[in-house]
Coordinates of all heavy atoms in Angstrom, one line a residue:
Chain D
F45 N 5.6 5.5 3.5 CA 4.6 5.0 2.6 C 4.4 5.8 1.3 O 3.4 5.6 0.6 CB 3.2 4.9 3.4 CG 3.1 3.7 4.2 CD1 3.2 3.8 5.6 CD2 3.0 2.4 3.7 CE1 3.1 2.6 6.4 CE2 2.9 1.3 4.5 CZ 2.9 1.4 5.8
L46 N 5.3 6.7 1.1 CA 5.2 7.4 -0.2 C 5.5 6.4 -1.3 O 5.2 6.6 -2.5 CB 6.2 8.6 -0.3 CG 5.7 9.8 0.5 CD1 6.7 10.9 0.5 CD2 4.3 10.4 0.1
Q47 N 6.3 5.4 -1.0 CA 6.5 4.3 -1.9 C 5.7 3.1 -1.5 O 5.3 3.0 -0.3 CB 8.0 3.8 -1.9 CG 8.9 4.9 -2.5 CD 10.4 4.6 -2.3 OE1 10.8 3.5 -2.4 NE2 11.1 5.6 -2.0
N48 N 5.4 2.2 -2.4 CA 4.6 1.1 -2.1 C 5.3 0.1 -1.1 O 6.3 -0.4 -1.4 CB 4.2 0.3 -3.4 CG 3.0 -0.6 -3.3 OD1 2.3 -0.5 -2.3 ND2 2.8 -1.5 -4.2
R49 N 4.7 -0.1 0.1 CA 5.3 -0.9 1.1 C 4.2 -1.8 1.8 O 3.0 -1.4 1.8 CB 5.9 0.0 2.2 CG 6.6 1.2 1.8 CD 8.1 0.8 1.6 NE 8.9 2.1 1.6 CZ 10.2 2.1 1.6 NH1 10.9 1.0 1.5 NH2 10.8 3.2 1.6
T50 N 4.7 -2.9 2.4 CA 3.7 -3.7 3.2 C 3.7 -3.2 4.6 O 4.7 -2.5 5.0 CB 4.1 -5.2 3.2 OG1 5.4 -5.3 3.9 CG2 4.3 -5.7 1.8
Q51 N 2.7 -3.6 5.4 CA 2.6 -3.1 6.8 C 3.8 -3.7 7.5 O 4.4 -3.0 8.4 CB 1.3 -3.6 7.3 CG 1.0 -3.0 8.7 CD -0.5 -2.9 9.0 OE1 -1.3 -3.1 8.1 NE2 -0.8 -2.7 10.3
Q52 N 4.2 -5.0 7.2 CA 5.3 -5.6 7.9 C 6.6 -4.9 7.7 O 7.4 -4.7 8.6 CB 5.4 -7.1 7.6 CG 6.4 -7.9 8.4 CD 6.1 -7.7 9.9 OE1 5.0 -7.8 10.4 NE2 7.1 -7.3 10.7
E53 N 6.8 -4.4 6.4 CA 8.0 -3.7 6.1 C 8.1 -2.4 7.0 O 9.1 -2.0 7.5 CB 8.1 -3.3 4.7 CG 8.4 -4.4 3.7 CD 8.2 -4.1 2.2 OE1 7.5 -3.1 1.9 OE2 8.8 -4.8 1.4
A54 N 6.9 -1.8 7.2 CA 6.8 -0.5 7.9 C 7.2 -0.8 9.4 O 7.9 0.0 10.0 CB 5.5 0.1 7.8
V55 N 6.6 -1.9 10.0 CA 6.9 -2.2 11.4 C 8.4 -2.4 11.6 O 9.0 -1.9 12.5 CB 6.1 -3.5 11.8 CG1 6.6 -4.0 13.2 CG2 4.6 -3.2 11.8
T56 N 9.0 -3.2 10.7 CA 10.5 -3.5 10.9 C 11.3 -2.2 10.8 O 12.1 -1.9 11.7 CB 10.9 -4.5 9.7 OG1 10.1 -5.6 9.8 CG2 12.4 -4.9 9.9
A57 N 11.0 -1.4 9.8 CA 11.8 -0.1 9.6 C 11.5 0.9 10.7 O 12.4 1.5 11.2 CB 11.5 0.5 8.2
F58 N 10.3 0.9 11.1 CA 9.9 1.9 12.2 C 10.5 1.5 13.5 O 11.1 2.4 14.2 CB 8.3 1.9 12.3 CG 7.8 2.9 13.2 CD1 7.9 4.2 13.0 CD2 7.1 2.5 14.4 CE1 7.3 5.2 13.8 CE2 6.5 3.4 15.2 CZ 6.6 4.8 14.9
A59 N 10.5 0.2 13.9 CA 11.1 -0.3 15.1 C 12.6 0.1 15.1 O 13.2 0.5 16.1 CB 10.9 -1.8 15.3
A60 N 13.3 -0.1 14.0 CA 14.7 0.1 13.9 C 15.0 1.6 14.0 O 15.9 2.1 14.7 CB 15.2 -0.4 12.6
A61 N 14.2 2.4 13.3 CA 14.4 3.9 13.2 C 14.3 4.5 14.6 O 15.0 5.5 14.9 CB 13.5 4.5 12.2
F62 N 13.2 4.1 15.3 CA 12.9 4.7 16.6 C 13.4 3.9 17.8 O 13.1 4.3 19.0 CB 11.4 5.0 16.7 CG 11.0 6.1 15.8 CD1 10.7 5.9 14.4 CD2 11.0 7.5 16.2 CE1 10.3 6.9 13.6 CE2 10.7 8.5 15.3 CZ 10.3 8.2 14.0
E63 N 14.1 2.8 17.6 CA 14.7 2.0 18.6 C 13.6 1.6 19.6 O 13.7 1.8 20.8 CB 15.8 2.7 19.3 CG 17.0 2.9 18.3 CD 18.2 3.6 18.9 OE1 18.1 4.1 20.0 OE2 19.2 3.6 18.3
I64 N 12.5 1.0 19.1 CA 11.4 0.5 20.0 C 11.2 -0.9 19.7 O 11.6 -1.4 18.7 CB 10.1 1.3 19.8 CG1 9.7 1.3 18.3 CG2 10.2 2.8 20.3 CD1 8.4 2.0 18.1
D65 N 10.5 -1.6 20.6 CA 10.3 -3.1 20.4 C 9.2 -3.3 19.4 O 8.4 -2.4 19.1 CB 10.1 -3.8 21.7 CG 8.9 -3.4 22.5 OD1 7.8 -3.3 21.8 OD2 8.9 -3.0 23.7
A66 N 9.2 -4.5 18.9 CA 8.3 -4.9 17.8 C 6.9 -4.7 18.1 O 6.1 -4.2 17.3 CB 8.6 -6.3 17.3
S67 N 6.5 -5.1 19.3 CA 5.0 -5.0 19.7 C 4.6 -3.5 19.7 O 3.5 -3.2 19.2 CB 4.7 -5.6 21.0 OG 5.4 -5.0 22.0
Q68 N 5.4 -2.6 20.2 CA 5.1 -1.2 20.2 C 5.0 -0.7 18.8 O 4.1 0.1 18.4 CB 6.1 -0.4 21.0 CG 5.8 1.1 21.1 CD 4.5 1.4 21.8 OE1 4.3 0.9 22.9 NE2 3.7 2.2 21.2
A69 N 6.0 -1.0 17.9 CA 6.0 -0.6 16.5 C 4.8 -1.1 15.8 O 4.2 -0.4 15.0 CB 7.3 -1.1 15.9
E70 N 4.4 -2.4 16.1 CA 3.2 -2.9 15.4 C 2.0 -2.1 15.8 O 1.1 -1.8 14.9 CB 3.0 -4.4 15.9 CG 3.6 -5.4 15.0 CD 3.5 -6.8 15.5 OE1 2.5 -7.1 16.2 OE2 4.4 -7.6 15.3
A71 N 1.8 -1.7 17.0 CA 0.6 -1.0 17.5 C 0.6 0.4 16.8 O -0.4 0.9 16.3 CB 0.6 -0.9 19.0
D72 N 1.8 1.1 16.8 CA 1.9 2.4 16.2 C 1.6 2.4 14.7 O 0.9 3.2 14.2 CB 3.3 3.0 16.5 CG 3.5 3.4 17.9 OD1 2.5 3.3 18.7 OD2 4.6 3.7 18.3
V73 N 2.2 1.4 14.0 CA 2.0 1.4 12.6 C 0.5 1.0 12.3 O -0.1 1.6 11.4 CB 2.9 0.3 11.9 CG1 2.5 0.1 10.5 CG2 4.4 0.8 12.0
A74 N -0.1 0.1 13.1 CA -1.5 -0.3 12.8 C -2.4 0.9 13.0 O -3.3 1.2 12.2 CB -1.9 -1.4 13.8
A75 N -2.1 1.8 14.0 CA -2.9 3.0 14.3 C -2.8 3.9 13.1 O -3.9 4.5 12.6 CB -2.5 3.6 15.6
F76 N -1.6 4.1 12.6 CA -1.4 5.0 11.5 C -2.1 4.5 10.2 O -2.8 5.2 9.5 CB 0.1 5.1 11.2 CG 0.5 5.9 10.0 CD1 0.7 7.3 10.1 CD2 0.7 5.3 8.8 CE1 1.0 8.1 9.0 CE2 1.0 6.1 7.6 CZ 1.2 7.4 7.7
V77 N -1.9 3.2 9.9 CA -2.5 2.6 8.7 C -4.0 2.6 8.8 O -4.7 3.0 7.8 CB -2.0 1.1 8.6 CG1 -2.8 0.4 7.5 CG2 -0.5 1.1 8.2
D78 N -4.6 2.3 10.0 CA -6.1 2.3 10.1 C -6.6 3.7 9.8 O -7.6 3.8 9.1 CB -6.5 1.8 11.5 CG -6.3 0.3 11.6 OD1 -6.0 -0.4 10.6 OD2 -6.4 -0.2 12.8
A79 N -6.0 4.7 10.5 CA -6.5 6.0 10.3 C -6.5 6.5 8.9 O -7.4 7.1 8.4 CB -5.7 7.0 11.2
L80 N -5.3 6.3 8.2 CA -5.2 6.8 6.8 C -6.0 6.0 5.8 O -6.4 6.5 4.8 CB -3.7 6.9 6.4 CG -3.0 8.0 7.2 CD1 -1.7 8.3 6.5 CD2 -3.7 9.3 7.4
K81 N -6.2 4.7 6.1 CA -7.0 3.8 5.2 C -8.5 4.3 5.3 O -9.2 4.4 4.3 CB -6.9 2.4 5.6 CG -5.8 1.6 4.9 CD -6.0 0.1 5.2 CE -5.0 -0.6 4.3 NZ -5.1 -2.1 4.6
N82 N -8.9 4.6 6.6 CA -10.3 5.1 6.8 C -10.5 6.4 6.0 O -11.6 6.6 5.5 CB -10.5 5.4 8.2 CG -11.1 4.2 9.0 OD1 -11.8 3.5 8.4 ND2 -10.8 4.1 10.2
K83 N -9.5 7.2 5.8 CA -9.7 8.5 5.1 C -9.5 8.3 3.6 O -9.6 9.2 2.8 CB -8.7 9.5 5.6 CG -9.0 10.0 7.0 CD -8.0 11.0 7.5 CE -8.1 11.4 8.9 NZ -9.3 12.3 9.2
G84 N -9.1 7.1 3.2 CA -8.9 6.8 1.8 C -7.6 7.3 1.3 O -7.4 7.5 0.0
I85 N -6.7 7.7 2.2 CA -5.4 8.3 1.7 C -4.4 7.2 1.5 O -3.6 7.3 0.6 CB -4.9 9.3 2.8 CG1 -5.9 10.5 2.9 CG2 -3.5 9.8 2.5 CD1 -5.6 11.4 4.1
L86 N -4.4 6.2 2.3 CA -3.5 5.1 2.2 C -4.2 3.9 1.5 O -5.2 3.4 2.0 CB -3.0 4.6 3.6 CG -1.8 3.7 3.6 CD1 -0.5 4.3 3.0 CD2 -1.5 3.3 5.1

Side-chain angles (χ1 to χ4, degrees):
Chain D
F45 278 109
L46 287 177
Q47 292 171 39
N48 197 13
R49 315 271 199 174
T50 67
Q51 191 156 344
Q52 190 51 50
E53 285 170 341
V55 170
T56 306
F58 186 66
F62 289 88
E63 298 180 346
I64 52 176
D65 62 51
S67 63
Q68 182 62 52
E70 267 173 34
D72 289 352
V73 171
F76 176 88
V77 167
D78 287 350
L80 292 197
K81 271 190 168 174
N82 266 332
K83 292 179 187 288
I85 296 172
L86 192 62

